[in-house]
Each structure stands twice: as structure tokens, then as C-alpha cells.
Amino acid sequence: MNITITRNNKEYKYKLDKEYSTILDALEYIKENIDNTLSYRSCCKSGICGSCAVIVNESEKLACKSKIDENDKVKPLKYCKVIKDLVVEINQIEKLLKENKTFIENYSNNLITNDEQKLINIQSNCILCQSCYSSCPVVEINKEFKGPYALTRSLRYINDKKESNFSNKLDEIQRNGIWDCTLCGNCTLVCPQFIDPKTDIMNLRMKSIQNGYSDPNIQNNNFFNEFDFDSGFNPNSF
């Protein structure tokens, strides 16, 4: 079985002596038996920590949960600084979460029902693997875009009744945030935890509108001025 790994922007093909069940198994074999300079991240090996996220055949996956096939191609995540081989910078995770204020700023004593707890549990399951961030086409053209996982975490704390003032969090996601998302759904497709960031962002848009915000990308238009409500279309508007 062969596997190709992108290292330093070059492709290296490795021949494995036997078949392995996952991409991570193959990486471990290569490091132990073929090339001990190969670098990658892994920890729990059970899909919980998210540290082994890579791109396999152009799709973001966890190496420990990705079944290996003949001639798989493995690359580091996109839009993240590559430290070495498949190891990428993770400092931006903390940066984005802090910018979005994804933590309780003003604690309240409000009681939370079981249903309300379930509502925030979904987003709390995010393991910050950065797969959604790597799959996002907006990041390619807007480096300041907050990205799917940061916005999903925002919804988690906006929905948390233990936060007495969620307006700060809504305010933080208006610029380079929810309105910049194209709603392509790539983030939802690659999430190993089956979280739906696309729907989360749509919910954040709805909550923003309910709290007086509007989409800054929609310019003031003259549609209503060009329509005569008594007689219909107003040809004099052109």
C-alpha cells in the first residue's frame, strides 16, 4: 500500500509493508520504520482531542478516525502556519476565541433547564480541531474572518443563561463574522463531532436581527421608492 504525504510543499510517497486501518496508523509506521523525521500531532487516538486533524484527499479529517485507502494523499490543514510537515500553529485558536469573547463575562444565577443545557451542549462538543476553519473558503480571501468554530462557540455562550449580558458577544461577531460567511456548508461536512456551524451562523444572524443588528453587506437600495404602491411599478423611477 502506498501513501503520499506533503512535507514542505513537496510530495513524498511511502510504501507500507502491510495494510493499516487508519491514517494515523500509517503515520506511526512511517515514523518508526521509514523516516523518523516525519512530524505530526496525535494524542488520544480516539477522536476526542482533535490534535491529529489533517487533509486527506482534499478533505479535512482526523487521522485517527480516517480509514486508509491505497494512494491516499495527506497534507497539513490550510490557512494555518505550518510548523513542520503536518504540524500546524494552534495559537490562533486562543486568539479567535478571545476576540469573540467565548466565555462567561458576567455570571448570573439564572437556573438552566435540561432542555436549555442540551441546547448549549451541542456547541460545547467542539474539539477545536480546526477542520472547519481549514475547509472555509472565506478564510482564503479574508484573513480576519473569525471562522466557523469561533462563531459556533459564540452561539454556545449567547444561548447560555449563565451569561447575564450576551450583547457584547453579539457585537463582536458583526464584523468579519456572521455576515461574511457564504453559508457554503463546508464546515458542517467536515466536522468530526457532527456539529452544524452553518446552522449556528444562521441562528446567530437571526439573533442579531432580533437585537437590532443588520447585514452591513446589504446596501440601502431604492426598491421601495421605485414601486408605486397605488398603481404598481413606477416607470418614472428610472
Side-chain angles (χ1 to χ4, degrees), residues 161-177:
K161 289 179 66 176
K162 291 296 182 182
E163 173 60 75
S164 62
N165 181 12
F166 62 81
S167 60
N168 284 349
K169 294 173 175 37
L170 278 178
D171 196 54
E172 288 295 331
I173 60 177
Q174 302 305 309
R175 181 175 176 80
N176 295 317

Side-chain angles (χ1 to χ4, degrees), residues 84-97:
K84 184 183 178 185
D85 300 337
L86 302 176
V87 180
V88 299
E89 181 66 72
I90 60 174
N91 288 348
Q92 67 178 1
I93 295 178
E94 182 180 5
K95 173 179 176 289
L96 290 170
L97 295 182

Side-chain angles (χ1 to χ4, degrees), residues 28-83:
E28 290 179 338
Y29 174 82
I30 293 170
K31 188 171 183 67
E32 293 174 5
N33 300 280
I34 302 176
D35 184 354
N36 62 10
T37 68
L38 176 64
S39 296
Y40 56 89
R41 277 199 180 99
S42 70
C43 186
C44 71
K45 300 183 180 181
S46 58
I48 296 175
C49 71
S51 62
C52 65
V54 290
I55 297 177
V56 181
N57 302 327
E58 305 306 323
S59 180
E60 286 74 11
K61 298 178 182 295
L62 296 183
C64 67
K65 303 293 284 186
S66 180
K67 298 297 182 182
I68 190 170
D69 288 317
E70 179 72 32
N71 295 319
D72 274 344
K73 292 186 176 182
V74 184
K75 300 191 297 185
L77 296 177
K78 294 181 292 185
Y79 317 132
C80 305
K81 180 181 178 181
V82 177
I83 299 175

Side-chain angles (χ1 to χ4, degrees), residues 41 50 53 60 76-83 86-102 126-136 138-140 142-151 153:
R41 277 199 180 99
E60 286 74 11
L77 296 177
K78 294 181 292 185
Y79 317 132
C80 305
K81 180 181 178 181
V82 177
I83 299 175
L86 302 176
V87 180
V88 299
E89 181 66 72
I90 60 174
N91 288 348
Q92 67 178 1
I93 295 178
E94 182 180 5
K95 173 179 176 289
L96 290 170
L97 295 182
K98 282 185 175 180
E99 286 179 353
N100 277 21
K101 301 185 185 301
T102 55
C126 173
I127 57 177
L128 299 174
C129 65
Q130 299 196 91
S131 291
C132 61
Y133 188 86
S134 173
S135 74
C136 180
V138 179
V139 179
E140 184 174 8
N142 180 5
K143 301 304 180 184
E144 299 302 316
F145 181 54
K146 298 181 185 301
Y149 66 80
L151 294 173
R153 282 294 183 97

Side-chain angles (χ1 to χ4, degrees), residues 191-203:
C191 179
Q193 295 295 89
F194 305 105
I195 300 171
D196 187 357
K198 174 185 174 181
T199 298
D200 290 346
I201 292 170
M202 293 173 66
N203 286 335

